[in-house]
Structure formats: C-alpha cells, structure tokens
Amino acid sequence: MRRTVPPSAEIEDQIDQLLAVGVGENPRESLSSLAKLGARLIIQRAVEDEFDAWLGRARYDRRPDYQRGLQNYQSGLRNGFRPRKLQTAEGELSVEIPQIRAAAEPFVSKLFPRGAKLLRTEPLKAMVIGAFVRGLSMRDIESLCEKAGLGKLSKSTASRICSELRERFEQFKRRDLYEVHLAALFVDAVFLSVRPDGPKEGVLVAWGFTEEGERVLLSVMLGMRESHEDWLALGRDLIARGLGAPLLIVADGAPGLIKAVEQCWPASDRQHCCVHRVRNLLAKLPERERERVRGAYWQALDEAINEGDGRQRLKALVGELDEAGFTAAAKCLNDDLDALVVHLRYPTRHRRRWRSTNLLERSLGEVKRRTKVMGRFPGETSCLTLVWAVLDLYMSHATNGVRFTQLERQRLRRIRYEGNEPAAPEETPEEVSVA
C-alpha cells in the first residue's frame, strides 16, 4: 500500500495518542516510550528534510516542466522508505530512510554513513539543543553540526525547531493564570553562564501544586543577582497574569526573596526551606557535632504533631545549642524559626514534600545537567528558552503529583477561607496517590 504521509507524521500521531492516554498504570514504561518516540521524531525529521534538500523539492512538489519529458534521471523520483535499526543511547530505534529511483546516484544521509550501525546520538542531541538555543544565527547552527560530524543541517529543519520553540516560550510567558489555584508555590533560582562572557546570572523559576494536585510550571525569567527587585518583578508578573494568592509559598531564606513574597502575597503562609536552614546551621558547628544536631533537628520536625509542637521542639534545640556554647548556631536556628514550622499546619501526608524546595531543586539539577554541554550561552533569550524547554518537559512528565482526599480538601479550604484554626486530631486518610 502506498504511504500517503511521511514517517515523521506517523510518529507525531503516536506521540499525540500516548499523551492523550497519559502515563496510566505504568508511568515508567510510558515515559520511556515517549522518550524513544521523541528521539525517533528528531532523527526522522532530520533525515526527511535532508532528503528534500538533496532532491531539490519538498514532498508532493512537482518537478519543473523542463525536467519532465526529458528523462532527466539526475532529478530522481521518490521511491518509498527503507527501514533501518539503530543502536542509540535510548536503545534500539527504527528509522525509515527515503529511497530514490531513476537517479544518477543513491541518496546517502550524512547522519547514517554507509556501514555505520551505531548512531552517535550525543552529537545529534548537541545539534538539536544548539539549534534551540542559538536559533538567531544559522551560521552558529551549521557550525555546531559540522563540529559534531553531522554535516550541514537543513535550514528548514533548523528554522522550524527554533521558531517553534521560541513561539511556545513566548506563549508560556503570556498565558493567563486566572484558572490556576495553587495549594503550594515553590520558588528558587539556578545560576548559569547566560552570556558569552561575564559572571553567572540567576534564572528565577516558579512552579507549584494546584489544589487539584497537578504540577504546573509558572515562570522562568532572568534574575541577574537574585535580588529583591528581581523576585518582586517575578511576583508582580504572576499577579498581573491572574495568579491568585497561593496557600503556601516555599522558598529559601534570602532576605530579598522573603521581602518580595511578603509584599506580593501578604496573606499566604511562607515556609522557610528546612533543607536550606539545616545547611546553614551545620556550617556553624564543629564536625564532631554535626550528625547529632542534624538528627535532633529532623527528629523535631518529623515527630511534631502540629505547628506549636514543632516550634517548641526547635526552641528546645536552640536552648541546648546556646547552653553548649554554640551561640552562632543557636542564633541561626532561631532566626525565622516560625517560618520553619508553617508546613505543620497542612495535611500530614504532604508535610515532608512541602517543607523544602527539594522538588524544585531536582528539576533545576536537570537543567544544569542538560545545559552543561552548552558551556556559555550567546544571550539571555537563548538561555531562558532552553531552561524553559527542559523544565517544561520535566514537569509535564513528572510522576510525583498529589491527589488530595476529601478530608484534605476540607482542611485546605479551612486554611484558605477561615485561617488556620487548631486542628482536631487527624484521621487516618487513604494512602497518597501518585498523579
């Protein structure tokens, strides 16, 4: 049967079908399938575009009149596709290579030299990432591909990759947030080499859990020095686009960030990241005391039954440190102590998740890993676009969302509309479901 659509379009349909179904009961298997389909799509598109450029016309384009009737075999005719198996970093992938007939020479893709059985996907990834972040200059893209040993990249492929990504990022920055109701907002920054020279600069990131338990990426913007003004600009942008006050905001203890949070969302609870605080605390202790104090700190938070109990336990640890002569450590722990126990107002099974920015830091760790191969970026637009692209993929396919029970929803509603009242002894709810 004659193929009416190119293989790349068929792969796109498979991706759409997989996304429509969701991760289902086997999220790891579904995400692995999605990753392989994405790798196949990148490779398949590249070879189809390369073939179009080699042939001199796109699919369904007619040959010029002067070629038809003259038996110009040099122009050639499309003759279907030949499947080829490739061993890549994503495992074995199947790609279809365009075939030609009535041509003076066969088509040989620069991506797949004759006799090669292993496709080096790392240079291919470098090509695609480079196209993403350096899309303003075709010369840069071509240079990157040549250095990777992949030959010349089709201008149409590079243009499409870059324009699609930039447009999606612009839409992300403009989209309204009126329908987003956050249970918890996490804010943090990652420092990257944004420009060809100069020091690293902060890229500010905000994401959260909605009251439905869904993870949502909200903002990626340049922060320069991660100052009060930078964080205030991020908060005002979210508010201007319609984001209502979150129930809880989780952040580190940077003074500028704290001040901006209190200005933008004065009615929201602010949780000081417990992990950042214990790092600060241990840095002020001698090596011999660190494990003991670390254990006492986490025990106080883990065993606390409510906010008041947690505050009392940490105060006792402050007193113990002070009596032992560790005055600087005691002062560090006592500073902003009330904000360390705010998470204890919230449903028990979500407290550990909401007491630190660890979840956000993991995604920022993925950003660092992906951008490490780039070295320095050519400018802030390129840098922010790639950071957003990595985070968008990470957030979209993360498997650690939450599902609130009815009792937990009632608790969150009380916090939002009635303030935090002393909680009754907590019932034993169902097990947390992974969304």
Side-chain angles (χ1 to χ4, degrees), residues 180-187 206-211 218 235 238-239 242-250 261 264-270 346 354 412 415-416:
V180 177
H181 306 290
L182 291 183
L185 170 66
F186 298 79
V187 288
W207 73 270
F209 287 112
T210 70
E211 292 179 357
L218 300 163
L238 294 177
I239 293 170
L243 183 69
L247 287 175
L248 177 68
I249 301 173
V250 186
V261 166
C264 292
W265 298 288
S268 298
D269 289 332
R270 179 179 61 83
Y346 288 80
W354 292 0
L412 294 177
I415 294 174
R416 181 175 291 282

Side-chain angles (χ1 to χ4, degrees), residues 26-40:
N26 297 302
R28 187 178 298 275
E29 181 180 337
S30 298
L31 295 177
S32 176
S33 299
L34 187 63
K36 287 186 177 182
L37 285 172
R40 281 185 61 201

Side-chain angles (χ1 to χ4, degrees), residues 119-138:
L119 175 64
R120 299 179 61 82
T121 52
E122 288 307 314
L124 184 63
K125 289 178 181 176
M127 174 194 73
V128 176
I129 292 174
F132 282 170
V133 301
R134 308 176 84 167
L136 297 180
S137 170
M138 287 298 167

Side-chain angles (χ1 to χ4, degrees), residues 2 68 135 229 256 286 328 377-378 396:
R2 184 179 179 183
R68 293 198 304 274
E229 291 76 15
F377 290 89
S396 298

Side-chain angles (χ1 to χ4, degrees), residues 188-190 205 360-369 391:
D188 206 346
V190 58
V205 177
L360 177 53
E361 288 188 352
R362 288 175 199 167
S363 62
L364 296 182
E366 183 69 9
V367 168
K368 290 181 179 178
R369 186 180 72 83
L391 288 174

Side-chain angles (χ1 to χ4, degrees), residues 85-153:
K85 300 292 186 181
L86 301 166
Q87 292 297 328
T88 74
E90 293 78 18
E92 186 177 79
L93 299 180
S94 176
V95 178
E96 300 199 41
I97 309 299
Q99 299 298 290
I100 189 82
R101 65 182 173 86
E105 58 184 18
F107 167 69
V108 179
S109 171
K110 291 183 174 64
L111 291 174
F112 314 109
R114 288 184 180 276
K117 296 182 180 180
L118 177 67
L119 175 64
R120 299 179 61 82
T121 52
E122 288 307 314
L124 184 63
K125 289 178 181 176
M127 174 194 73
V128 176
I129 292 174
F132 282 170
V133 301
R134 308 176 84 167
L136 297 180
S137 170
M138 287 298 167
R139 290 181 181 177
D140 285 338
I141 299 171
E142 292 171 355
S143 173
L144 182 64
C145 294
E146 289 174 0
K147 288 178 181 177
L150 298 175
K152 286 190 176 294
L153 174 68

Side-chain angles (χ1 to χ4, degrees), residues 143-195:
S143 173
L144 182 64
C145 294
E146 289 174 0
K147 288 178 181 177
L150 298 175
K152 286 190 176 294
L153 174 68
S154 161
K155 284 183 167 55
S156 61
T157 298
S159 296
R160 183 178 65 246
I161 290 173
C162 298
S163 61
E164 285 179 0
L165 192 76
R166 285 197 300 268
E167 179 56 31
R168 286 178 57 205
F169 182 48
E170 289 301 318
Q171 291 174 0
F172 166 80
K173 292 192 296 182
R174 295 193 302 264
R175 84 195 195 287
D176 74 68
L177 303 173
Y178 288 97
E179 300 302 318
V180 177
H181 306 290
L182 291 183
L185 170 66
F186 298 79
V187 288
D188 206 346
V190 58
F191 282 82
L192 301 171
S193 300
V194 176
R195 307 176 198 283

